[in-house]
Every structure is written in C-alpha cells, then in structure tokens.
Amino acid sequence: MNKLGRFADQAVEGLRDATGLKVLWENKATPGLDGFVVIDTGNNTIRLPTQIRQRAIAHHVDELRQLSKPNTLLLAEHIPDSLKQTLRQTQQNYLDGAGNCYIHVGSVLIIVQGRKLAQAPVVAKQPFGKSGLRVLFTLLIHPDGINLSVRELAEQAGVSVGTAQHTIDYLKKSGYVVSVDAKRKKLTKLDKLRDQWVGRYAEALKPSLIVGRFRLPKNLFPADWRQVALQPGTYWSGEPAADALTNDLRPATLTLYTDQSKAGLLNTYKLLPDSDGPVEVNRLFWKPPVGQGDCFTVPPLLAYADLLAIDDPRTTDIARRIYQDHVVNV
C-alpha cells in the first residue's frame, strides 16, 4: 500500500470510529483525484471525489475547485485549524487523519472536531535538510538556476558544493529536472516542489534562522509598518509583505529577514527585545538579486510560507491569493 493509501485508510477509520457510520475508501484514481470516500448514512450513500495530501496547504483548496467537480473532499493527515475554519466557511468538505471532518452534501451534514491522531503520524523520509532547503528555495525563486554549474548554485544558495550536488541529484532522480535541449534543462512539477519546500521550511529551516522577537518603539504599531524605512539587506515578510502585495491586510504582526547583526537592528530601528513582541526577526538565508532597488519584500513564496505559519484564517485567506497571483501566475 502506498503512502496516500495509508493516509486514506487512517482517515476513513477515524471517521468510522467517530460517527459509527459505514465509511469506505475506493482507490480509483481519476485525473486530479486520488479516489473516493464513500459514506453510508443509513438513508442514502454519498460518494465524495477525493484529493489526498500529507499536510493540507491553503492553495490546495483552489486546486480542488479548479476541477469543477461537485462534493469534492480534501483528505489530509494534517489540516491546520485556521485552514479548517476557512474550509467550513466556504463549505469545502474535508477529512483529516484523526477523523475530524466537515462534510456537507445535500441534506447530509457531518461535523467532527477535537479528535487527535491515535498514533504518531507517518513520517516520510525527507530529502531536504536545512541546507537542501536553501538550494531548493534558490531554484524555486530562480528556476533557471538549474542551468548554473553546481559551484555557482552552491554560491547562490550559501551552501557547500556537496550539498548542492546532492540536491540536484535527488531532483534529477525524482523526475523534477527535464532536458530542453542538449545544453539546457528546466525544473518540472513545480507545484509539488513548492509544496515540499513550504511543508518543510517552518519545521526544518526557519528555527535556525530566528534572531528574536521585539516590539516597536513607543507610539508605533504593526499597522504602521510603512513608517519603518528599511535599509538594504533587510526585507519584510509575512503580514507586511502581504499588505505590500495586495494592499488588503492590516498587519497585526511583523516579520523581517536581515543580514544585520542584532546590535545593528536595535540601533537602526530602535527595536526593543520582547519575547512576546509582534516583530519577528530572522537571518537572511538567500542571496537577493543585485540591483533589487527599492524592493523591500521577500520573494512571494517565502511570504506565503510565513503567512501560513501564523495559522490564522485572516492570513490563510490572503496567503491563497498571494500564491495564485504572485507565485503560480507570474
């Protein structure tokens, strides 16, 4: 049984246990879908076209809707609480690995909340450690980097040549690199690579980047972020980046990436150390393009990942828009 099949069986068993209903998994894949969850309510049977993910991310909802199939179900081993709230508000069916669900089909409404996984989640072998994630990020924001020499790519990502080579080897072996002609290659299946990067970034790379949390000087609030003049080498992410990209968010928290020292930050921006402060500062981990000028926001993919990490319906919704408008459709 493959990994997706295990996730489906686990979720179906959880729903069956929570409701007492007869619930089955039909492993019949069709374009864009992985199978069907079938529920016998006693009065009728509903059959839900299902897409399976290990960890649900905001843009997966948009992918499901683009299939234009009724009663679709997003099944994932883990679905963040903020995304569950968004899914319920938009009446999108979901089911997680513990059996928590929102399923609304015709007169049938099934809601299960508060269940925990009975066993530890299945942990897939991860090909990307901290340094590998740096290489992958470099390639995702500059896809033509796949045509650099390994040494040049390593320099761009700030990693060893061995790490860059190992990452390229994995991408080739896994079918993420295809030849365009005798001299040029390109990355493929970018959506899956982005999912891998976003899913791993918050737990594997970001903890090693955190400089600290701070509060702003007196009389300044997160919504006043535009009044803070950033110096070259420092960039907005998270909520201020979302506001810059959409002009449709009033930030409650601020996220920064910088190449400045902690002392330099305190001196330049008059930030005050505060473990509960609304300002999160992280070390810069990629090489911004030369001549970026007055662009003081991080690449949209990073802003998207940081917005998801806030785990708030307010930021999850706008993260979906950024993914579609500034990551995919660029």
Side-chain angles (χ1 to χ4, degrees):
M1 181 184 297
N2 63 23
K3 182 172 64 176
L4 296 184
R6 290 195 299 271
F7 293 158
D9 285 349
Q10 181 183 44
V12 163
E13 183 177 348
L15 181 57
R16 193 184 298 133
D17 180 64
T19 63
L21 297 173
K22 294 180 180 178
V23 188
L24 300 174
W25 169 246
E26 286 188 4
N27 187 24
K28 296 180 179 179
T30 59
L33 296 168
D34 299 297
F36 298 83
V37 170
V38 182
I39 304 174
D40 184 349
T41 67
N43 296 319
N44 53 35
T45 300
I46 57 176
R47 191 166 180 261
L48 302 163
T50 301
Q51 192 174 84
I52 305 177
R53 303 288 184 177
Q54 179 169 4
R55 180 183 177 89
I57 301 175
H59 71 266
H60 293 155
V61 182
D62 299 304
E63 293 175 2
L64 261 183
R65 289 176 182 156
Q66 288 170 8
L67 296 176
S68 300
K69 292 182 180 293
N71 305 325
T72 52
L73 176 77
L74 176 60
L75 186 156
E77 186 177 45
H78 177 71
I79 305 176
D81 288 341
S82 61
L83 183 54
K84 287 179 180 177
Q85 185 174 334
T86 298
L87 294 171
R88 290 193 296 269
Q89 289 172 347
T90 57
Q91 297 189 339
Q92 170 61 56
N93 300 317
Y94 70 79
L95 172 63
D96 74 9
N100 299 297
C101 72
Y102 172 90
I103 296 172
H104 192 183
V105 178
S107 61
V108 175
L109 176 61
I110 306 171
I111 298 177
V112 177
Q113 295 177 305
R115 288 174 60 86
K116 304 295 183 183
L117 281 170
Q119 60 186 46
V122 176
V123 178
K125 184 178 180 181
Q126 298 293 347
F128 299 113
K130 288 188 292 186
S131 296
L133 287 168
R134 291 173 183 253
V135 177
L136 182 55
F137 182 72
T138 298
L139 291 172
L140 287 173
I141 62 174
H142 302 299
D144 200 47
I146 195 66
N147 291 296
L148 294 173
S149 70
V150 175
R151 187 170 296 280
E152 289 171 328
L153 179 59
E155 182 180 347
Q156 286 290 316
V159 302
S160 69
V161 172
T163 295
Q165 184 66 66
H166 176 75
T167 305
I168 292 298
D169 289 345
Y170 168 79
L171 293 173
K172 289 179 177 178
K173 182 179 178 180
S174 302
Y176 290 112
V177 181
V178 297
S179 296
V180 176
D181 53 39
K183 294 185 177 181
R184 296 189 61 78
K185 304 181 290 291
K186 73 172 183 178
L187 288 177
T188 188
K189 297 186 285 189
L190 287 173
D191 55 339
K192 292 185 178 180
L193 282 176
R194 294 186 197 109
D195 283 359
Q196 287 200 57
W197 188 84
V198 170
R200 291 279 293 153
Y201 172 67
E203 64 184 38
L205 176 55
K206 190 170 183 179
S208 68
L209 304 173
I210 295 175
V211 174
R213 298 197 72 90
F214 304 84
R215 65 180 186 272
L216 293 164
K218 190 176 180 180
N219 298 324
L220 275 182
F221 301 92
D224 303 320
W225 68 274
R226 294 179 191 273
Q227 296 182 34
V228 180
L230 296 186
Q231 300 299 307
T234 301
Y235 303 88
W236 294 115
S237 186
E239 295 191 49
D243 192 23
L245 290 169
T246 67
N247 199 32
D248 193 24
L249 182 68
R250 184 178 175 83
T253 65
L254 303 180
T255 306
L256 284 167
Y257 288 81
T258 185
D259 60 6
Q260 278 193 286
S261 66
K262 186 174 181 178
L265 279 170
L266 298 178
N267 182 59
T268 302
Y269 303 108
K270 311 304 179 187
L271 296 175
L272 304 170
D274 184 343
S275 60
D276 296 318
V279 184
E280 174 191 277
V281 179
N282 306 282
R283 286 193 295 275
L284 200 70
F285 68 93
W286 73 99
K287 184 175 287 189
V290 176
Q292 196 168 3
D294 58 355
C295 179
F296 289 102
T297 58
V298 301
L301 180 63
L302 178 54
Y304 171 73
D306 281 333
L307 287 166
L308 292 183
I310 296 171
D311 199 15
D312 183 318
R314 181 177 61 93
T315 55
T316 298
D317 288 344
I318 207 159
R320 289 169 52 201
R321 288 168 49 189
I322 288 172
Y323 187 84
Q324 291 300 322
D325 296 343
H326 299 279
V327 177
V328 176
N329 299 320
V330 177

